[in-house]
Amino acid sequence: MSAERIAALEAIPGWTWSVFSARWDDGIIALRAFVEREGHANIHSKHFEPDGFKLGNWLGSRRYEYRQGVLSAERIAALEAIPGWTWDAVGSEQWEKGIEALRAFVEREGHTSIRHKHVEPDGFKLGHWACARRTEYRQGNLSDKRIEELESIPGWTWNALKGSRQ
């Protein structure tokens, strides 16, 4: 490509030679803006930013790259520098709330067959939370520590069968 054509392309506002690098920059900027605006980094996987950027999807891809060992040390450090960042999709506060609710349910009801739409008296959507953890487990997205914590709950199973109380 001639120097003239290169210069013409580079003169276009927003032009980049690396779409992947630009996508990274867009994502990290959006994540920082979200944390600044909302005060936390617990972002739903389907979250869209006001400008339409699929921040939840972008974060899911970064977590996947991290688990696969293909995310650069520089990018890992950039994410870990963000206040409240966690490699687990469910933040520690939400995790603790779910575990506490699950233990209380088992203590009260004597089983872990939680209907998907079950909501605890305090409004916590325990059925959805439990279903999401099982999905994370099947997809390989749940840490060993969290797997052990769930498995320590009497009656916990990873296979909620269709047609059961789930």
Side-chain angles (χ1 to χ4, degrees), residues 44-105:
H44 191 278
S45 64
K46 295 182 182 178
H47 175 77
F48 283 79
E49 279 294 275
D51 66 0
F53 184 77
K54 297 177 180 180
L55 183 56
N57 188 24
W58 184 85
L59 290 172
S61 295
R62 302 304 69 83
R63 286 181 171 113
Y64 177 79
E65 290 170 351
Y66 177 79
R67 285 190 310 275
Q68 298 302 308
V70 298
L71 192 62
S72 73
E74 177 185 336
R75 290 184 174 183
I76 291 169
L79 286 165
E80 290 178 345
I82 294 176
W85 172 257
T86 178
W87 289 108
D88 287 316
V90 176
S92 59
E93 185 177 314
Q94 187 72 5
W95 173 263
E96 291 304 321
K97 189 171 185 176
I99 284 292
E100 286 176 27
L102 180 58
R103 286 187 176 125
F105 180 90

Coordinates of all heavy atoms in Angstrom, one line a residue, residues 44-105:
H44 N -24.1 -7.2 34.8 CA -24.9 -8.4 34.3 C -24.3 -8.7 32.9 O -24.0 -7.8 32.1 CB -26.4 -8.0 34.2 CG -27.2 -9.2 33.9 ND1 -27.4 -9.6 32.6 CD2 -27.9 -10.0 34.7 CE1 -28.2 -10.7 32.6 NE2 -28.5 -10.9 33.9
S45 N -24.3 -10.0 32.5 CA -23.8 -10.4 31.3 C -24.5 -9.8 30.1 O -24.0 -9.8 29.0 CB -23.8 -11.9 31.2 OG -25.2 -12.4 31.2
K46 N -25.7 -9.4 30.2 CA -26.5 -8.8 29.1 C -26.6 -7.3 29.1 O -27.3 -6.7 28.4 CB -27.9 -9.4 29.1 CG -27.9 -10.9 28.8 CD -29.3 -11.5 28.7 CE -29.1 -13.0 28.5 NZ -30.4 -13.7 28.4
H47 N -25.7 -6.7 30.0 CA -25.8 -5.2 30.1 C -25.3 -4.5 28.9 O -24.2 -4.8 28.3 CB -24.9 -4.8 31.4 CG -24.8 -3.3 31.5 ND1 -25.9 -2.6 32.0 CD2 -23.9 -2.4 31.1 CE1 -25.5 -1.3 31.9 NE2 -24.3 -1.2 31.4
F48 N -26.0 -3.5 28.5 CA -25.6 -2.6 27.4 C -25.4 -1.2 28.0 O -26.2 -0.8 28.9 CB -26.8 -2.4 26.4 CG -27.0 -3.6 25.4 CD1 -27.6 -4.7 25.8 CD2 -26.5 -3.4 24.1 CE1 -27.8 -5.8 24.9 CE2 -26.7 -4.5 23.3 CZ -27.3 -5.6 23.6
E49 N -24.4 -0.5 27.6 CA -24.1 0.8 28.0 C -25.1 1.7 27.2 O -25.7 1.3 26.2 CB -22.7 1.3 27.7 CG -21.7 0.8 28.7 CD -22.0 1.4 30.1 OE1 -21.5 2.5 30.3 OE2 -22.7 0.8 30.9
P50 N -25.4 3.0 27.7 CA -26.3 3.9 27.0 C -26.0 4.1 25.6 O -26.9 4.3 24.8 CB -26.2 5.2 27.8 CG -25.8 4.7 29.2 CD -24.9 3.5 29.0
D51 N -24.7 4.0 25.2 CA -24.4 4.2 23.8 C -24.5 2.9 22.9 O -24.2 2.9 21.8 CB -22.9 4.7 23.6 CG -21.9 3.8 24.1 OD1 -22.2 2.6 24.6 OD2 -20.7 4.1 24.1
G52 N -25.0 1.8 23.6 CA -25.2 0.6 22.9 C -24.1 -0.4 23.0 O -24.2 -1.6 22.5
F53 N -23.0 0.0 23.6 CA -21.8 -0.9 23.8 C -22.2 -2.1 24.7 O -22.8 -1.9 25.8 CB -20.6 -0.2 24.4 CG -19.4 -1.1 24.5 CD1 -18.6 -1.3 23.4 CD2 -19.0 -1.6 25.7 CE1 -17.5 -2.1 23.5 CE2 -17.9 -2.4 25.8 CZ -17.1 -2.7 24.7
K54 N -22.0 -3.3 24.2 CA -22.4 -4.6 25.0 C -21.3 -4.9 26.0 O -20.5 -5.8 25.9 CB -22.5 -5.7 24.0 CG -23.6 -5.5 23.0 CD -23.6 -6.7 22.0 CE -24.7 -6.6 21.0 NZ -24.7 -7.7 20.1
L55 N -21.3 -4.1 27.1 CA -20.3 -4.2 28.1 C -20.3 -5.6 28.8 O -19.3 -6.2 29.1 CB -20.5 -3.1 29.2 CG -19.4 -3.1 30.3 CD1 -18.0 -3.0 29.7 CD2 -19.7 -1.9 31.2
G56 N -21.5 -6.1 29.1 CA -21.6 -7.4 29.8 C -21.0 -8.5 28.9 O -20.3 -9.4 29.4
N57 N -21.3 -8.5 27.6 CA -20.7 -9.4 26.7 C -19.2 -9.3 26.6 O -18.5 -10.3 26.6 CB -21.4 -9.2 25.3 CG -21.0 -10.3 24.3 OD1 -20.7 -11.4 24.7 ND2 -21.1 -9.9 23.0
W58 N -18.7 -8.0 26.5 CA -17.3 -7.8 26.4 C -16.6 -8.3 27.6 O -15.5 -9.0 27.5 CB -17.1 -6.3 26.3 CG -15.6 -5.9 26.1 CD1 -14.9 -5.8 25.0 CD2 -14.7 -5.5 27.2 NE1 -13.7 -5.4 25.2 CE2 -13.5 -5.2 26.6 CE3 -14.8 -5.3 28.5 CZ2 -12.4 -4.8 27.3 CZ3 -13.7 -4.9 29.3 CH2 -12.5 -4.7 28.6
L59 N -17.2 -8.1 28.8 CA -16.6 -8.6 30.1 C -16.5 -10.2 30.1 O -15.6 -10.8 30.5 CB -17.3 -8.1 31.3 CG -17.1 -6.6 31.6 CD1 -18.0 -6.2 32.7 CD2 -15.6 -6.3 31.9
G60 N -17.6 -10.8 29.6 CA -17.7 -12.2 29.5 C -16.5 -12.8 28.7 O -15.9 -13.8 29.0
S61 N -16.3 -12.1 27.6 CA -15.2 -12.5 26.7 C -13.8 -12.4 27.4 O -13.0 -13.2 27.2 CB -15.2 -11.7 25.4 OG -16.4 -12.0 24.7
R62 N -13.6 -11.3 28.1 CA -12.3 -11.1 28.8 C -12.2 -12.2 29.9 O -11.1 -12.7 30.1 CB -12.2 -9.7 29.5 CG -12.4 -8.5 28.6 CD -11.4 -8.4 27.4 NE -11.6 -9.4 26.3 CZ -12.5 -9.3 25.3 NH1 -13.3 -8.3 25.2 NH2 -12.5 -10.2 24.3
R63 N -13.2 -12.5 30.6 CA -13.1 -13.6 31.6 C -12.8 -14.9 31.0 O -12.1 -15.7 31.5 CB -14.4 -13.6 32.4 CG -14.6 -12.5 33.4 CD -15.9 -12.6 34.2 NE -15.9 -11.6 35.3 CZ -16.7 -10.6 35.3 NH1 -17.6 -10.4 34.4 NH2 -16.7 -9.7 36.3
Y64 N -13.4 -15.2 29.8 CA -13.2 -16.4 29.1 C -11.7 -16.5 28.7 O -11.0 -17.5 28.9 CB -14.1 -16.5 27.9 CG -13.8 -17.8 27.1 CD1 -14.3 -19.0 27.5 CD2 -13.1 -17.7 25.9 CE1 -14.0 -20.2 26.7 CE2 -12.8 -18.8 25.1 CZ -13.3 -20.0 25.6 OH -13.0 -21.2 24.8
E65 N -11.2 -15.4 28.1 CA -9.8 -15.3 27.7 C -8.9 -15.5 28.9 O -7.8 -16.2 28.8 CB -9.5 -14.0 27.1 CG -10.1 -13.8 25.7 CD -10.0 -12.3 25.2 OE1 -9.6 -11.4 25.9 OE2 -10.4 -12.2 24.0
Y66 N -9.2 -15.0 30.1 CA -8.4 -15.1 31.3 C -8.4 -16.6 31.7 O -7.3 -17.2 32.0 CB -9.0 -14.3 32.4 CG -8.4 -14.4 33.7 CD1 -7.2 -13.8 34.0 CD2 -8.9 -15.2 34.7 CE1 -6.5 -13.9 35.2 CE2 -8.3 -15.3 36.0 CZ -7.1 -14.7 36.2 OH -6.5 -14.8 37.4
R67 N -9.6 -17.3 31.7 CA -9.6 -18.7 32.1 C -8.8 -19.6 31.1 O -8.3 -20.6 31.5 CB -11.1 -19.2 32.2 CG -11.8 -18.7 33.4 CD -13.1 -19.4 33.5 NE -14.0 -19.3 32.3 CZ -14.8 -18.3 32.0 NH1 -14.9 -17.3 32.7 NH2 -15.5 -18.4 30.9
Q68 N -8.8 -19.2 29.8 CA -8.1 -19.9 28.8 C -6.6 -19.6 28.8 O -5.8 -20.3 28.1 CB -8.7 -19.6 27.4 CG -10.1 -20.0 27.3 CD -10.3 -21.5 27.5 OE1 -9.7 -22.4 27.0 NE2 -11.3 -21.8 28.4
G69 N -6.2 -18.6 29.6 CA -4.8 -18.3 29.7 C -4.3 -17.5 28.5 O -3.0 -17.5 28.2
V70 N -5.1 -16.8 27.7 CA -4.7 -16.1 26.5 C -4.8 -14.6 26.7 O -4.5 -13.8 25.8 CB -5.5 -16.5 25.3 CG1 -5.2 -18.0 25.0 CG2 -7.0 -16.3 25.4
L71 N -5.2 -14.1 27.9 CA -5.3 -12.7 28.1 C -3.9 -12.2 28.6 O -3.3 -12.8 29.5 CB -6.4 -12.4 29.1 CG -6.8 -10.9 29.3 CD1 -7.4 -10.4 28.0 CD2 -7.8 -10.8 30.4
S72 N -3.4 -11.1 28.0 CA -2.1 -10.7 28.3 C -2.0 -10.2 29.7 O -3.0 -9.7 30.3 CB -1.6 -9.5 27.3 OG -2.4 -8.3 27.6
A73 N -0.8 -10.2 30.3 CA -0.5 -9.7 31.6 C -0.9 -8.2 31.7 O -1.4 -7.8 32.8 CB 0.9 -9.9 32.0
E74 N -0.6 -7.5 30.7 CA -1.0 -6.1 30.7 C -2.5 -5.8 30.8 O -2.9 -5.0 31.6 CB -0.5 -5.4 29.4 CG -0.8 -3.9 29.3 CD -0.4 -3.4 27.9 OE1 0.6 -4.0 27.3 OE2 -1.0 -2.4 27.5
R75 N -3.3 -6.6 30.1 CA -4.7 -6.5 30.2 C -5.3 -7.0 31.5 O -6.2 -6.5 32.0 CB -5.4 -7.2 29.0 CG -5.1 -6.4 27.7 CD -5.7 -6.9 26.5 NE -5.5 -6.0 25.4 CZ -6.0 -6.2 24.2 NH1 -6.7 -7.2 23.9 NH2 -5.7 -5.3 23.2
I76 N -4.7 -8.1 32.0 CA -5.1 -8.6 33.3 C -4.9 -7.5 34.4 O -5.8 -7.2 35.2 CB -4.3 -9.9 33.7 CG1 -4.7 -11.0 32.8 CG2 -4.5 -10.2 35.2 CD1 -3.9 -12.3 32.9
A77 N -3.7 -6.9 34.3 CA -3.4 -5.8 35.3 C -4.4 -4.6 35.2 O -4.8 -4.1 36.2 CB -2.0 -5.4 35.1
A78 N -4.7 -4.3 33.9 CA -5.7 -3.2 33.7 C -7.0 -3.5 34.3 O -7.6 -2.6 34.9 CB -5.8 -2.9 32.2
L79 N -7.5 -4.7 34.1 CA -8.8 -5.0 34.7 C -8.7 -5.1 36.2 O -9.6 -4.6 36.9 CB -9.3 -6.4 34.1 CG -9.8 -6.3 32.7 CD1 -9.9 -7.7 32.1 CD2 -11.1 -5.6 32.6
E80 N -7.7 -5.7 36.7 CA -7.5 -5.9 38.2 C -7.3 -4.5 38.9 O -7.6 -4.4 40.1 CB -6.4 -6.8 38.5 CG -6.8 -8.3 38.2 CD -5.7 -9.3 38.4 OE1 -4.5 -8.9 38.6 OE2 -6.0 -10.5 38.4
A81 N -6.9 -3.5 38.2 CA -6.8 -2.2 38.7 C -8.1 -1.4 38.9 O -8.2 -0.4 39.6 CB -5.8 -1.3 37.9
I82 N -9.2 -2.0 38.3 CA -10.5 -1.3 38.4 C -11.1 -1.7 39.8 O -11.2 -2.9 40.1 CB -11.4 -1.7 37.2 CG1 -10.7 -1.2 36.0 CG2 -12.8 -1.3 37.4 CD1 -11.4 -1.5 34.7
P83 N -11.6 -0.7 40.5 CA -12.2 -0.9 41.9 C -13.4 -1.9 41.7 O -14.2 -1.7 40.9 CB -12.6 0.4 42.3 CG -11.8 1.4 41.5 CD -11.5 0.7 40.2
G84 N -13.3 -2.9 42.6 CA -14.4 -3.9 42.6 C -14.4 -5.0 41.6 O -15.2 -5.9 41.5
W85 N -13.3 -5.0 40.7 CA -13.2 -6.0 39.7 C -13.0 -7.4 40.3 O -12.3 -7.6 41.3 CB -12.1 -5.7 38.7 CG -11.8 -6.9 37.8 CD1 -10.9 -7.8 37.9 CD2 -12.7 -7.2 36.7 NE1 -11.0 -8.7 36.8 CE2 -12.1 -8.4 36.1 CE3 -13.8 -6.7 36.1 CZ2 -12.7 -9.0 35.0 CZ3 -14.4 -7.3 35.0 CH2 -13.8 -8.4 34.5
T86 N -13.7 -8.4 39.7 CA -13.5 -9.8 40.1 C -13.5 -10.6 38.8 O -14.2 -10.3 37.9 CB -14.6 -10.2 41.1 OG1 -14.3 -11.6 41.4 CG2 -15.9 -10.1 40.6
W87 N -12.7 -11.7 38.9 CA -12.7 -12.6 37.7 C -14.0 -13.5 37.7 O -14.3 -14.1 36.7 CB -11.5 -13.5 37.7 CG -10.3 -12.6 37.3 CD1 -9.3 -12.2 38.2 CD2 -10.0 -12.0 36.1 NE1 -8.4 -11.4 37.5 CE2 -8.8 -11.3 36.2 CE3 -10.7 -12.1 34.8 CZ2 -8.3 -10.5 35.1 CZ3 -10.1 -11.3 33.8 CH2 -8.9 -10.6 33.9
D88 N -14.6 -13.6 38.9 CA -15.9 -14.4 38.9 C -17.0 -13.5 38.5 O -17.1 -12.3 38.9 CB -16.2 -14.9 40.4 CG -15.2 -16.0 40.8 OD1 -15.1 -16.9 40.0 OD2 -14.7 -16.0 41.9
A89 N -17.9 -14.0 37.7 CA -19.0 -13.2 37.1 C -19.9 -12.7 38.2 O -20.5 -11.6 38.1 CB -19.8 -14.0 36.1
V90 N -20.0 -13.4 39.3 CA -20.9 -13.0 40.4 C -20.0 -12.4 41.5 O -19.1 -13.1 42.0 CB -21.7 -14.2 41.0 CG1 -22.5 -13.8 42.2 CG2 -22.6 -14.8 39.9
G91 N -20.2 -11.2 41.8 CA -19.3 -10.5 42.8 C -19.4 -11.2 44.1 O -20.4 -11.9 44.4
S92 N -18.4 -11.0 45.0 CA -18.4 -11.6 46.3 C -19.6 -11.3 47.1 O -20.1 -12.2 47.9 CB -17.1 -11.3 47.0 OG -16.9 -10.0 47.2
E93 N -20.1 -10.1 47.1 CA -21.2 -9.7 47.9 C -22.5 -10.5 47.5 O -23.2 -11.0 48.3 CB -21.5 -8.2 47.8 CG -22.6 -7.7 48.7 CD -22.7 -6.2 48.5 OE1 -21.7 -5.4 48.6 OE2 -23.9 -5.7 48.4
Q94 N -22.7 -10.5 46.2 CA -23.9 -11.3 45.6 C -23.7 -12.8 45.9 O -24.7 -13.5 46.2 CB -24.0 -11.0 44.1 CG -25.3 -11.6 43.5 CD -26.5 -10.8 44.0 OE1 -26.5 -9.8 44.6 NE2 -27.7 -11.3 43.6
W95 N -22.5 -13.3 45.8 CA -22.2 -14.7 46.1 C -22.6 -15.0 47.6 O -23.3 -16.0 47.9 CB -20.8 -15.0 45.8 CG -20.4 -16.4 46.3 CD1 -19.8 -16.8 47.5 CD2 -20.7 -17.6 45.6 NE1 -19.7 -18.1 47.5 CE2 -20.2 -18.7 46.4 CE3 -21.3 -17.9 44.4 CZ2 -20.4 -20.0 46.0 CZ3 -21.4 -19.3 44.0 CH2 -20.9 -20.3 44.8
E96 N -22.1 -14.2 48.5 CA -22.3 -14.4 49.9 C -23.8 -14.3 50.2 O -24.3 -15.1 51.0 CB -21.6 -13.4 50.8 CG -20.1 -13.6 50.7 CD -19.6 -15.0 51.2 OE1 -20.2 -15.5 52.1 OE2 -18.7 -15.5 50.6
K97 N -24.5 -13.4 49.6 CA -26.0 -13.3 49.8 C -26.7 -14.6 49.3 O -27.6 -15.1 50.0 CB -26.5 -12.1 49.1 CG -27.9 -11.8 49.4 CD -28.4 -10.4 48.9 CE -29.8 -10.1 49.3 NZ -30.2 -8.8 48.9
G98 N -26.2 -15.1 48.2 CA -26.8 -16.3 47.6 C -26.6 -17.5 48.5 O -27.5 -18.3 48.8
I99 N -25.3 -17.7 48.9 CA -25.0 -18.8 49.8 C -25.7 -18.7 51.1 O -26.3 -19.8 51.6 CB -23.4 -18.8 50.0 CG1 -22.7 -19.4 48.8 CG2 -23.1 -19.6 51.3 CD1 -22.9 -20.8 48.5
E100 N -25.8 -17.6 51.7 CA -26.6 -17.4 52.9 C -28.1 -17.8 52.7 O -28.7 -18.5 53.6 CB -26.5 -16.0 53.5 CG -25.1 -15.7 54.1 CD -25.0 -14.2 54.5 OE1 -26.0 -13.6 54.8 OE2 -23.9 -13.7 54.5
A101 N -28.6 -17.3 51.6 CA -30.0 -17.6 51.4 C -30.2 -19.1 51.1 O -31.2 -19.7 51.6 CB -30.5 -16.8 50.1
L102 N -29.3 -19.7 50.4 CA -29.4 -21.1 50.1 C -29.3 -22.0 51.4 O -30.1 -22.9 51.7 CB -28.3 -21.6 49.2 CG -28.3 -23.1 48.8 CD1 -29.6 -23.5 48.2 CD2 -27.1 -23.3 47.9
R103 N -28.4 -21.6 52.3 CA -28.3 -22.3 53.6 C -29.6 -22.1 54.4 O -30.0 -23.1 55.0 CB -27.1 -21.8 54.4 CG -25.8 -22.3 53.8 CD -24.6 -21.9 54.6 NE -23.4 -22.5 54.1 CZ -22.3 -21.8 53.8 NH1 -22.3 -20.5 54.0 NH2 -21.3 -22.4 53.2
A104 N -30.1 -20.9 54.5 CA -31.3 -20.7 55.2 C -32.5 -21.5 54.6 O -33.3 -22.0 55.3 CB -31.7 -19.2 55.2
F105 N -32.6 -21.6 53.3 CA -33.6 -22.3 52.6 C -33.5 -23.8 53.0 O -34.5 -24.4 53.4 CB -33.5 -22.2 51.1 CG -34.6 -22.9 50.3 CD1 -35.8 -22.3 50.0 CD2 -34.3 -24.2 49.9 CE1 -36.7 -23.0 49.3 CE2 -35.3 -25.0 49.2 CZ -36.5 -24.4 48.9

